[in-house]
Amino acid sequence: MRFGTALAFVALGMAVLVVVAIVIASEVRRDIEIMTPQAHRAVYDLSLDDVISDSSVVSLDGRMVVEWRGGPRCEGYTSEQRVVTRSLDDQGQSSVHDIRLNAWESLNGNEFRFDRVEYFNGKREVHEYGTARRENGTVALVLNEGEPRFLPSNVLFPSAFNLAMGKAMARGWTSFTHPLFDGAQDSATLVTAFIGKPMVPPGDARRIKIGHQRYGMPLFRLKSRSVHMSYFDLGDEMPDVLPDTPPSFEMDFSAFPNGVMSNLRLIYDDAVVKGELKALEYFKPGSC
């Protein structure tokens, strides 16, 4: 998937990014620090890391903000992501993309609500909102108050995806594959994750100053894990195993046991965008 037509996958990737980092936080194996997921807001500076020879992307910069809160006291989990990028192509045309994705999921993982808005050069081009609900073995999705449509029966929402991956990792698995729906597009996505061993935190995490650090741990005192995620956009076809096709989108990042991420790489067909953690604020535990 090429960058110019796939920026919405940044929001999708960040939605799953929060999920996977929380999976790392809830891991129970002995070689991983056990911590409660940290409610937080993280800010990343985006820049162009690499391009292929026939790419039309010449330059890119931007900012990404991710916020996660929730838990039993909140009767669910909420996430907010915003991605704003400014890019220049080989014809000298500049473009500004602005994507905003807000979501809520019930504690039992059976209901998911979302609202996604996309702007291009200041003009709103997409506004999609909806509710997905699991009942009696089926998953019905209603978009923009339209007629119900059905997602694959085994699809998971972000927090349920989190739990299933955490169980897989507790069994000693280093990879996990499952269909996911998170509101970043109007169909489910098959997601696979490969998770590395604990390592020293990357440079952006060691240097960061944390707002309200009293509510959590500094990152330089924690071990991180490298994670590689691949997304397969298959529409209504959703197998339980990896398809024999290249992924639509990929990303790498470092995940900390408190749910914070750093050292991002967003991988498209024609360009690679990197994200450096520039600001981090902790929220009081249990805040909604």
Side-chain angles (χ1 to χ4, degrees):
M1 185 171 290
R2 300 179 72 85
F3 173 81
T5 59
L7 194 59
F9 268 77
V10 175
L12 184 154
M14 289 311 298
V16 178
L17 237 167
V18 174
V19 171
V20 174
I22 294 167
V23 170
I24 301 294
S26 62
E27 176 58 62
V28 297
R29 292 180 62 199
R30 293 180 180 177
D31 62 339
I32 298 180
E33 300 169 79
I34 300 175
M35 300 184 66
T36 300
Q38 175 71 57
H40 69 279
R41 179 189 297 114
V43 179
Y44 304 85
D45 278 354
L46 303 178
S47 61
L48 191 62
D49 189 40
D50 194 14
V51 295
I52 64 172
S53 58
D54 65 345
S55 173
S56 63
V57 181
V58 174
S59 66
L60 177 142
D61 62 81
R63 176 155 288 192
M64 178 160 50
V65 181
V66 180
E67 184 172 311
W68 182 85
R69 302 173 186 256
R73 290 179 55 187
C74 309
E75 299 184 351
Y77 304 95
T78 61
S79 64
E80 299 182 13
Q81 300 97 37
R82 184 176 181 184
V83 184
V84 180
T85 61
R86 180 174 57 249
S87 60
L88 181 70
D89 66 20
D90 55 7
Q91 302 298 313
Q93 297 295 315
S94 62
S95 303
V96 177
H97 293 81
D98 183 351
I99 301 175
R100 308 171 193 184
L101 176 62
N102 301 321
W104 174 88
E105 183 177 346
S106 63
L107 290 174
N108 63 11
N110 287 333
E111 184 175 353
F112 182 72
R113 301 194 298 262
F114 67 95
D115 189 296
R116 186 181 84 249
V117 183
E118 300 178 23
Y119 294 87
F120 179 70
N121 289 339
K123 181 181 178 181
R124 189 176 74 178
E125 291 201 331
V126 175
H127 182 203
E128 191 165 82
Y129 57 93
T131 299
R133 186 175 289 109
R134 187 187 314 276
E135 291 181 322
N136 301 320
T138 63
V139 182
L141 170 64
V142 176
L143 296 174
N144 295 20
E145 302 179 10
E147 291 297 317
R149 54 185 299 182
F150 292 94
L151 298 172
S153 60
N154 64 339
V155 73
L156 297 178
F157 306 135
S159 292
F161 185 96
N162 164 14
L163 179 61
M165 183 183 288
K167 289 180 178 179
M169 291 173 62
R171 298 186 185 105
W173 300 2
T174 56
S175 64
F176 178 78
T177 299
H178 206 89
L180 169 75
F181 180 78
D182 65 0
Q185 55 183 27
D186 60 5
S187 62
T189 303
L190 189 65
V191 179
T192 185
F194 295 94
I195 300 154
K197 295 181 179 180
M199 60 184 183
V200 174
D204 60 347
R206 295 196 302 269
R207 294 188 298 266
I208 196 71
K209 293 182 178 180
I210 303 173
H212 300 133
Q213 184 173 289
R214 65 185 181 276
Y215 293 138
M217 287 284 290
L219 298 184
F220 67 82
R221 293 185 180 178
L222 303 174
K223 293 286 188 178
S224 64
R225 283 194 167 216
S226 61
V227 179
H228 180 87
M229 304 286 291
S230 297
Y231 305 85
F232 297 86
D233 183 14
L234 304 176
D236 294 331
E237 299 295 327
M238 192 57 57
D240 293 325
V241 297
L242 288 177
D244 189 21
T245 59
S248 305
F249 171 69
E250 297 177 273
M251 63 192 295
D252 299 321
F253 57 94
S254 296
F256 288 85
N258 63 352
V260 175
M261 298 78 64
S262 73
N263 196 30
L264 315 179
R265 293 179 74 247
L266 311 173
I267 306 167
Y268 302 92
D269 288 347
D270 59 343
V272 178
V273 176
K274 66 180 179 180
E276 182 179 359
L277 181 63
K278 300 299 290 186
L280 179 62
E281 179 183 359
Y282 288 165
F283 301 135
K284 186 175 181 180
S287 61
C288 299

